[in-house]
Amino acid sequence: MDSEKRNQNYNMYVDAKLPKTKLFPSVAKAFLVGGLICCFGQLCLDLYAYWWPTLSEAELGTAMLSTIIFLTAILTGFGVFDWLGAFGGAGTVIPITGFANAIVSPSMEFKKEGIIFGICVKMFSIVGPVIVFGVVGSVAAGLIYLII
Amino acid sequence: MVSTNKQTVIFNNKPTIVGSYSIGGPLESKGPISDYLSYKLQDDKLNEDTFEKAERKLLEHIIFGAIDNAGLKLNDIDVLLGGDLLNQIVSSSFAARKFGITFIGLYSACATMAESLALGATLIDRQVFSKVCCATASHFSSAERQYRFPLELGNQRPPTSQWTVTGGGATILSARGDGPVITSATFGKVVDFGIKDVNNMGACMAPAAMDTIMTHLKGTNTKVEDYDLIATGDLGKLGSEILVDLLERKGIKLGQNYSDCGNLIYNKQEKVFMGGSGSGCSATVLNSYIMHKLLNGDFKKVLLVATGALLSTTTSQQGDSIPGIAHAVCIERSK
């Protein structure tokens, strides 16, 4: 038996043996955690609108996002967020909490390698692609907007 | 005697294990091997400011402990054979910097402990050296840092992932003395069955374990039943199931005497997914549980088959498959 065929068979055999992630509990946990984060965001929005009636909707949104980013960074620093993320999965990744955690965690981790080569370089090691896609996407959107 | 299959070496001059020492991290100290550990860490940073320094200190502690356990002094040791998982095996070489003795750095990923024992026994058997210290360690946090994601990142681990052991062990081999004897060893070949999933190390390494076990049994003319324990290094739950299947297809049936160090080291309820891994995994289990059972007579003949996945983050990001290796050493209780 040639090795390519052997490897193909082995990969098929291993795939069949892989433990399956249980879909329903994962989705339920993600829904619960993600939903709670969004409820908290909505609570912030409503409270800020009540406290500062002069703020525009966009400004309220920014204040709410800053609050959530700030809290995520604090929770990451205290070592709580990795636990929450392991439990909630996509429920914590999809809201802006995932982005904030992905910036803070490598910054903490690589502090010992120095401010420039540690914190500043590694800070974007996980979120780098998100920023690249964001920038490229907005350029593309801008071009389309210009044409039509 | 020159090995007939170019892999298996039979030792006639009785390289003897005269001392051993093991350290387990906080999680390992709660596991089934807890009672057999020489030292249990409370603080996995060992009062150091980085995990890399902690791993280095762990190795220094293990090496000193083993030399002490053998009733020897540092300058009695002819050579230190050691390795770890960090890039450029810095933990071992930086630890060796402290000792000022001959150092041979080894790397076979998680198979390093068996590699060092096989090589150490060969050096003693062929009368190159008379006292050899074999030491290996790993650290969960330094390995995560190098291979995976930051510790505080809120990600989910895939169900096939394994947990790098914080801990390690050292064994002192001597040309003379009392203790269990290394009677044979098989140096492994690099085996690659084309698995690319970095989160499924068990599947990457199982074919290498199969290859080495078959070669060893043939080379030493022994059967599975001749051993009280056949222990693979860190195949984990899935990997050891695969190994049992693979060997069965080749007509070799592993029975009750088969275990995997990755399955032995943690309690079932711990969230370690498929079990322990890392170069410290087999080193810790060998120098605690297995050594204890060899000394008290529960085990008379043990085959340790430590397995390693020889990848780097670069090779896997470039889409290469993950080669595995397994080295085997047979340890027998002296009569």
Side-chain angles (χ1 to χ4, degrees):
Chain A
M1 191 163 54
D2 61 298
S3 65
E4 209 163 295
K5 183 106 183 127
R6 179 201 67 187
N7 292 359
Q8 222 171 13
N9 286 342
Y10 184 64
N11 267 283
M12 270 160 55
Y13 156 79
V14 170
D15 283 343
K17 265 194 104 72
L18 288 181
K20 305 277 173 288
T21 307
K22 291 188 191 84
L23 194 63
F24 182 73
S26 313
V27 171
K29 283 182 202 164
F31 179 77
L32 182 75
V33 174
L36 283 174
I37 293 172
C38 295
C39 287
F40 178 76
Q42 189 61 46
L43 179 75
C44 291
L45 267 183
D46 292 350
L47 273 178
Y48 296 165
Y50 175 71
W51 287 335
W52 299 292
T54 51
L55 288 184
S56 72
E57 206 164 304
E59 287 168 330
L60 286 171
T62 310
M64 177 272 287
L65 288 177
S66 311
T67 312
I68 291 185
I69 291 171
F70 174 76
L71 286 177
T72 306
I74 295 282
L75 287 178
T76 304
F78 280 113
V80 180
F81 200 86
D82 58 329
W83 174 84
L84 191 69
F87 178 80
T92 60
V93 175
I94 305 289
I96 199 146
T97 44
F99 190 82
N101 169 249
I103 289 217
V104 176
S105 55
S107 317
M108 287 167 61
E109 183 105 3
F110 293 93
K111 204 174 128 209
K112 280 288 161 210
E113 277 81 349
I115 291 173
I116 305 291
F117 292 105
I119 297 176
C120 298
V121 171
K122 299 285 185 180
M123 183 181 277
F124 300 101
S125 59
I126 299 168
V127 298
V130 182
I131 295 174
V132 171
F133 282 113
V135 171
V136 172
S138 53
V139 168
L143 284 173
I144 292 166
Y145 190 71
L146 192 73
I147 293 161
I148 51 172
Chain B
M1 186 186 82
V2 176
S3 165
T4 49
N5 60 13
K6 297 183 184 169
Q7 285 184 269
T8 306
V9 193
I10 311 281
F11 305 122
N12 299 318
N13 292 329
K14 291 189 175 177
T16 306
I17 297 175
V18 293
S20 65
Y21 197 84
S22 59
I23 294 184
L27 188 63
E28 292 72 19
S29 301
K30 285 194 281 179
I33 62 158
S34 173
D35 292 345
Y36 309 108
L37 289 169
S38 316
Y39 188 83
K40 295 171 196 152
L41 286 182
Q42 306 287 331
D43 163 28
D44 71 346
K45 255 192 162 174
L46 293 99
N47 289 326
E48 294 290 332
D49 56 353
T50 70
F51 289 117
E52 286 75 13
K53 286 183 189 162
E55 183 173 315
R56 195 179 305 163
K57 197 169 171 183
L58 185 73
L59 252 174
E60 290 167 9
H61 189 151
I62 290 166
I63 294 166
F64 270 127
I67 295 173
D68 195 49
N69 180 258
L72 299 171
K73 297 259 174 315
L74 181 62
N75 52 14
D76 294 328
I77 303 295
D78 297 326
V79 63
L80 170 65
L81 305 180
D84 55 88
L85 284 181
L86 296 189
N87 291 340
Q88 289 81 37
I89 53 168
V90 282
S91 301
S92 311
S93 47
F94 279 55
R97 176 175 67 180
K98 198 165 195 172
F99 298 125
I101 55 175
T102 313
F103 169 64
I104 302 177
L106 303 173
Y107 184 79
S108 283
C110 316
T112 307
M113 189 69 217
E115 184 189 18
S116 68
L117 288 171
L119 186 61
T122 310
L123 290 172
I124 286 181
D125 193 66
R126 301 306 191 262
Q127 294 167 350
V128 181
F129 293 114
S130 72
K131 293 210 168 38
V132 177
C133 176
C134 306
T136 310
S138 59
H139 196 298
F140 173 78
S141 302
S142 63
E144 284 296 302
R145 238 172 159 246
Q146 179 175 305
Y147 289 104
R148 293 173 200 101
F149 291 116
L151 294 172
E152 297 304 333
L153 184 72
N155 60 330
Q156 283 182 325
R157 293 169 154 266
T160 51
S161 66
Q162 288 176 258
W163 197 266
T164 306
V165 166
T166 300
T171 310
I172 308 286
L173 301 178
S174 171
R176 281 173 299 279
D178 290 326
V181 174
I182 300 187
T183 50
S184 57
T186 296
F187 292 94
K189 284 180 184 167
V190 177
V191 179
D192 189 339
F193 273 27
I195 298 285
K196 292 184 176 176
D197 183 0
V198 290
N199 290 306
N200 192 357
M201 295 293 182
C204 305
M205 303 186 292
M210 169 194 76
D211 191 79
T212 300
I213 290 175
M214 284 169 55
T215 310
H216 188 84
L217 294 180
K218 213 168 167 193
T220 55
N221 205 10
T222 51
K223 294 189 295 293
V224 170
E225 301 80 60
D226 296 338
Y227 298 89
D228 296 311
L229 175 73
I230 296 180
T232 44
D234 58 347
L235 292 179
K237 197 163 147 275
L238 181 66
S240 35
E241 278 172 30
I242 294 176
L243 175 66
V244 170
D245 278 0
L246 287 175
L247 280 174
E248 200 165 297
R249 280 182 215 171
K250 300 277 181 186
I252 296 172
K253 210 169 152 38
L254 290 174
Q256 288 294 318
N257 58 350
Y258 170 64
S259 280
D260 180 71
C261 298
N263 294 335
L264 288 170
I265 197 162
Y266 293 117
N267 287 327
K268 293 225 165 24
Q269 67 270 24
E270 300 289 358
K271 290 203 165 155
V272 292
F273 304 89
M274 287 297 152
S277 73
S279 48
C281 185
S282 56
T284 312
V285 175
L286 171 74
N287 289 293
S288 57
Y289 171 73
I290 296 176
M291 205 57 77
H292 192 266
K293 295 275 179 187
L294 274 166
L295 289 172
N296 77 5
D298 285 352
F299 294 154
K300 288 186 178 61
K301 190 168 182 172
V302 171
L303 184 66
L304 175 76
V305 189
T307 43
L310 302 172
L311 79 164
S312 80
T313 47
T314 310
T315 61
S316 50
Q317 278 168 3
Q318 290 177 352
D320 271 317
S321 58
I322 303 167
I325 193 160
H327 300 292
V329 279
C330 174
I331 309 171
E332 288 182 52
R333 191 179 151 79
S334 53
K335 275 114 206 148

